[in-house]
Amino acid sequence: SLRGIWGLSNGNGSVVLRGEVPGCVHTALYRRGLIQDPYYRFNDVRYRWISLDNWTYSRTFRTPFDIRKWQKVNLVFEGVDTVAQILINNITLGRTDNMFNRYSFDISSVLQEVNVVAVHFSSAVSYAAEQSRCHSAYSIPPACPPPVQKGECHANFIRKEQCSFSWDWGPSFPTQGIWKDVRLEAYNHYNLLYFSWTPFFVKTAQQWSLEVESVFDVVTSKPIAGRATVSIPKLQTQQTFSVKLQPGEGSIVLLVNINKSSTVEAWWPNGHGKQTGYNMTTTFVMEEGSQIEKFSKVYFRTVELVQEPIPGSPGLSFYFRINGQPIFFKGSNWIPADSFQDRVTYDTLWQLLKSAADVNMNALRVWGGGVYEQDEFYDICDEMGIMIWQDFMFACALYPADQNYLESVRGEVSHQVRRLKSHPSIILWSGNNENEAAIASNWFSIPSADREIYIKDYVLLYVKNIREIVLAEDKSRPFITSSPTNGLESAKEGWVSQDPNDAHYGDTHFYDYSSDCWNWTLYPRTRFASEYGFQSWPSFSTIQKVSTTEDWSYTSNFSLHRQHHENGNDQMLQQIGYHFRLPQSADPIKKFKDTIYLTQVMQAQCVKTETEFYRVSQSEIIRGEGHTMGALYWQLNDIWQAPSWASLEYGGKWKLLHYFAQNFFAPVLPVAYEDKGLLHIYGVSDLHRDHQLTLRVVVHTWSSLESVCTLAKDRVTVQAQSAVPIYKESISDLLDRCRNCTRESCVVTFSLVGEDGLQSPTNHHFLSSLKDAVGLEKTQLSASVSQRDGIYLFVLQTTAIAPFVSLDVGSIKGRFSDNGFLMTEKKKVVVFYPWEPTSVEELEKSLTLTSLMDVV
């Protein structure tokens, strides 16, 4: 391996330093103290010069073996970001232009005992501009991001992380660097380049089989014969094959039938079963060359994307069957965890993915404007049962389709599919993010006379190239061309449908910031909601790390600078204003903190309402629409400290939305909504069998911790994997029944309880806006903290009903068992799970308790 310290210098040699590989220029400069934290205040704009310069990485290495003994020696780069010329001993080996490809150079004839390897980078920004200039026949929009993003232009002309040129939630840091491993490979006779396996269930034989694929580079002039043995001891399966490797690069596929007398435990998504894996050993013993032994963990699962007619509904269904079972997808969308990928460690990924699994998520969409994630990301998803909808890296733009570009993309797609296809967590390949919609809705004002050119390029890129390669490389999972798409209907309409967001087909992306989000009638009764959401601000403790006192106001230059979505800060205030009073404190910092809190309350309540609507719509067809089978809100995580749609802040802290997700994604959940004066309650279940439960409906007045009336409905059948109506009552009857209640003075809470200990979260339904609530009093909230084993107990006490009680321990890393809740009892115990050592004293000192009435 050539990992470690390299020399690093800029174009004219005025900046010289040491830099880590894997790494990038920005982190090297920061680690050596030559720049401040790039995320601090306005540094994204201040440090623009870094990405406009051309940097060189170089190092000397001694060849660690006798060169004469090896037929072939390669210099292999797992990832180069992005445009570079690679030299060894002043001889040019080649050029790179794709961050997502693996590059391998034969250095057998140029290797010496001591060598100098150099990687000359060109500015990605300048390269993209140059590529765009050269594409003179017609323009490929968009040219530049909106000014509010403070970004760079022509990202679509470079095969690089698209959001590194800025996005509506992230900064522009077009990095340069060797971002993945670099190593020497020396071999005789043959070398294994890729090794993968895919499971299949053969229905006729009622038997599992594995397709084990190996891609070799054979350096002899004649074929090499030998034996391959695949062994899975736990499944009493061992098979030996005669194999023949042909000269050059080629692949061998071994079909392994699993012993029928063994019981195979399938891999299931989180909440639906176990994620059982089996150890597999594959050994190649050839007539020539050394033996190769591969150890892998293999999983067995099937996936089907079902697009079929539905009785009573025009269009087609769109849902996934895993191991023959329809699964409702609960989750979110994943973006890069940092602008500087070398800072994304295993621990970073584990913490974020664990936070997803902990709130009952079973799926994430790896969005197409970021990166194909590192191997560890998918390993963790395999272990946690998180299904991955994997986009290819094209987003919100049109793209060139000239020969050079297509060739680069073909290499990228082939490499990524071979690298990733063994992961059971990946259940779908998707060609791009929103590019079908961009053409269909004419985002870029293309004259109708030119439309055909762009459609032709679109089909050439995503269908004739990407789709062809994926279908050839991987027959074990479905592929769709875009998201949102109409799926089979889009294909029928020539791959660009009239309305990719049509609720009768495929998936939809839905955003509406100006309407009142509590009004569920706004939301599309879609087949699959793959994007939807609302913004909020991250906690004060997260913002504090990258700002200074003068920044701590909602209207400061800093607050405007961090908001990359046009009018985003105003939209949040408008949405808050529908149901809450806006903060009026004379103390500017208190006002800022109150506003942050309310943005998080608003976001949590909005996404809750919308997600519950999608879950309730899974079993019904209403006016020809419904059978919703997925809810993936935008977005899970953050790339820096800024307002965004995320439920996890940069650094991993949970926003109130993430705590709410734990409830709105619960396996069993009662959901209420109002329609024409009637209160409807549905029982939603992801469980695989029916349950008889008791529905408890409790009504409180805002002014008292004592409930005014309680109703218990016994033997309510909550059906397996469905959403069924279990209760309805007119609001006027409810108010009469619960004497002295008005819409403004009362609140409804409800839950499902079973005799076997099965219990849903307690849900709530507001009968009016909280700004109109009558009887809400400012409460005295207090907490005592104690330690038990490795966790901390917070015993909360209140003197009055408290909506949206928030516990915040600043920058102490960890999470609570519950947060942002409606407190209707005098006492509640909340557990704090620390992610790093802390103490009762530290927690007490850092604790801030806030509820709605603390906002003035």
Side-chain angles (χ1 to χ4, degrees), residues 631-795:
L632 307 178
Y633 66 76
W634 185 269
Q635 68 207 62
L636 179 72
N637 57 318
D638 257 334
I639 199 166
W640 71 333
Q641 308 90 339
S644 82
W645 294 256
S647 62
L648 295 174
E649 302 178 6
Y650 181 77
K653 185 171 178 173
W654 292 21
K655 286 183 180 175
L656 293 186
L657 168 56
H658 208 77
Y659 288 102
F660 272 46
Q662 188 168 227
N663 291 338
F664 64 62
F665 281 148
V668 174
L669 182 69
V671 172
Y673 68 90
E674 271 185 53
D675 193 17
K676 302 185 184 67
L678 284 177
L679 179 69
H680 296 263
I681 298 183
Y682 275 58
V684 181
S685 171
D686 289 324
L687 304 178
H688 289 216
R689 61 183 188 81
D690 295 358
H691 285 270
Q692 296 272 316
L693 304 173
T694 298
L695 172 68
R696 288 175 55 84
V697 181
V698 180
V699 178
H700 280 86
T701 58
W702 286 120
S703 56
S704 168
L705 286 163
E706 300 300 322
S707 63
V708 285
C709 66
T710 303
L711 175 140
K713 185 180 172 188
D714 291 332
R715 288 197 301 284
V716 170
T717 302
V718 175
Q719 287 175 16
Q721 296 193 287
S722 52
V724 291
I726 53 175
Y727 182 75
K728 78 168 180 238
E729 183 177 14
S730 77
I731 300 287
S732 55
D733 288 357
L734 180 106
L735 296 176
D736 287 350
R737 184 163 67 77
C738 304
R739 59 189 187 283
N740 323 339
C741 261
T742 64
R743 275 187 174 275
E744 291 72 28
S745 67
C746 288
V747 61
V748 186
T749 63
F750 46 96
S751 62
L752 287 162
V753 189
E755 287 164 6
D756 49 3
L758 182 66
Q759 195 166 355
S760 78
T762 297
N763 208 340
H764 58 258
H765 178 70
F766 298 126
L767 296 165
S768 75
S769 290
L770 273 74
K771 64 181 180 185
D772 303 326
V774 173
L776 264 181
E777 297 156 25
K778 193 162 169 34
T779 170
Q780 295 300 305
L781 274 176
S782 62
S784 61
V785 187
S786 58
Q787 185 177 3
R788 196 172 72 206
D789 303 326
I791 60 173
Y792 294 86
L793 301 181
F794 285 65
V795 178

Side-chain angles (χ1 to χ4, degrees), residues 590-622:
K590 163 128 175 73
K591 188 177 178 184
F592 184 46
K593 288 179 174 175
D594 284 349
T595 308
I596 289 173
Y597 163 78
L598 280 180
T599 66
Q600 290 207 15
V601 166
M602 171 276 292
Q603 177 196 37
Q605 190 66 26
C606 287
V607 177
K608 168 190 189 289
T609 307
E610 190 166 352
T611 306
E612 288 181 348
F613 172 76
Y614 294 137
R615 288 192 75 186
V616 156
S617 302
Q618 67 184 279
S619 306
E620 291 183 328
I621 295 292
I622 291 174

Side-chain angles (χ1 to χ4, degrees), residues 435-456:
N435 300 353
E436 181 185 340
I439 297 178
S441 308
N442 203 8
W443 291 1
F444 307 121
S445 311
I446 291 161
S448 53
D450 301 342
R451 205 176 129 85
E452 280 311 310
I453 303 171
Y454 293 99
I455 292 179
K456 190 166 164 274

Side-chain angles (χ1 to χ4, degrees), residues 455-474:
I455 292 179
K456 190 166 164 274
D457 279 0
Y458 179 92
V459 172
L460 186 57
L461 177 57
Y462 303 111
V463 182
K464 295 189 173 151
N465 280 277
I466 296 177
R467 182 172 177 269
E468 293 271 299
I469 292 170
V470 175
L471 297 183
E473 288 281 351
D474 180 14

Side-chain angles (χ1 to χ4, degrees), residues 294-533:
K294 287 297 283 184
F295 299 102
S296 340
K297 186 160 225 184
V298 298
Y299 299 87
F300 295 86
R301 66 111 190 82
T302 61
V303 54
E304 304 152 89
L305 171 55
V306 184
Q307 300 181 73
E308 295 171 347
I310 300 173
S313 176
L316 298 169
S317 66
F318 189 93
Y319 70 92
F320 293 88
R321 272 203 292 249
I322 306 293
N323 305 322
Q325 191 90 359
I327 303 281
F328 187 99
F329 276 42
K330 303 184 295 188
S332 189
N333 287 261
W334 173 273
I335 65 160
D338 205 295
S339 290
F340 312 109
Q341 279 290 319
D342 50 294
R343 301 206 297 203
V344 182
T345 62
Y346 179 88
D347 289 347
T348 312
L349 294 173
W350 191 88
Q351 198 59 68
L352 291 167
L353 292 168
K354 178 81 171 95
S355 292
D358 281 349
V359 299
N360 300 303
M361 291 190 185
N362 61 24
L364 290 172
R365 172 170 169 251
V366 175
W367 167 77
V371 296
Y372 304 95
E373 278 299 332
Q374 36 190 301
D375 296 340
E376 289 80 6
F377 173 91
Y378 301 97
D379 290 339
I380 297 166
C381 290
D382 293 345
E383 286 158 25
M384 290 185 180
I386 297 173
M387 297 179 285
I388 296 297
W389 168 317
Q390 178 67 52
D391 280 3
F392 285 94
M393 294 301 130
F394 303 86
C396 299
L398 304 183
Y399 286 84
D402 53 87
Q403 270 327 103
N404 290 347
Y405 190 85
L406 289 176
E407 200 141 314
S408 182
V409 168
R410 289 178 69 85
E412 159 191 336
V413 171
S414 171
H415 168 61
Q416 294 297 345
V417 173
R418 286 171 169 186
R419 175 175 82 94
L420 297 174
K421 69 179 179 184
S422 304
H423 290 282
S425 52
I426 299 176
I427 48 85
L428 176 75
W429 301 110
S430 174
N432 64 67
N433 174 71
E434 297 185 353
N435 300 353
E436 181 185 340
I439 297 178
S441 308
N442 203 8
W443 291 1
F444 307 121
S445 311
I446 291 161
S448 53
D450 301 342
R451 205 176 129 85
E452 280 311 310
I453 303 171
Y454 293 99
I455 292 179
K456 190 166 164 274
D457 279 0
Y458 179 92
V459 172
L460 186 57
L461 177 57
Y462 303 111
V463 182
K464 295 189 173 151
N465 280 277
I466 296 177
R467 182 172 177 269
E468 293 271 299
I469 292 170
V470 175
L471 297 183
E473 288 281 351
D474 180 14
K475 305 201 175 21
S476 73
R477 49 174 71 79
F479 173 89
I480 57 173
T481 43
S482 187
S483 174
T485 181
N486 290 344
L488 294 177
E489 177 61 20
S490 285
K492 206 162 109 188
E493 294 178 36
W495 303 101
V496 176
S497 63
Q498 273 206 289
D499 175 15
N501 266 310
D502 186 337
H504 301 93
Y505 297 97
D507 64 324
T508 56
H509 295 187
F510 180 82
Y511 295 96
D512 178 348
Y513 307 114
S514 56
S515 308
D516 172 2
C517 78
W518 289 21
N519 174 9
W520 59 268
T521 62
L522 301 169
Y523 302 124
R525 221 177 269 280
T526 170
R527 307 293 191 211
F528 197 108
S530 51
E531 271 194 34
Y532 60 95

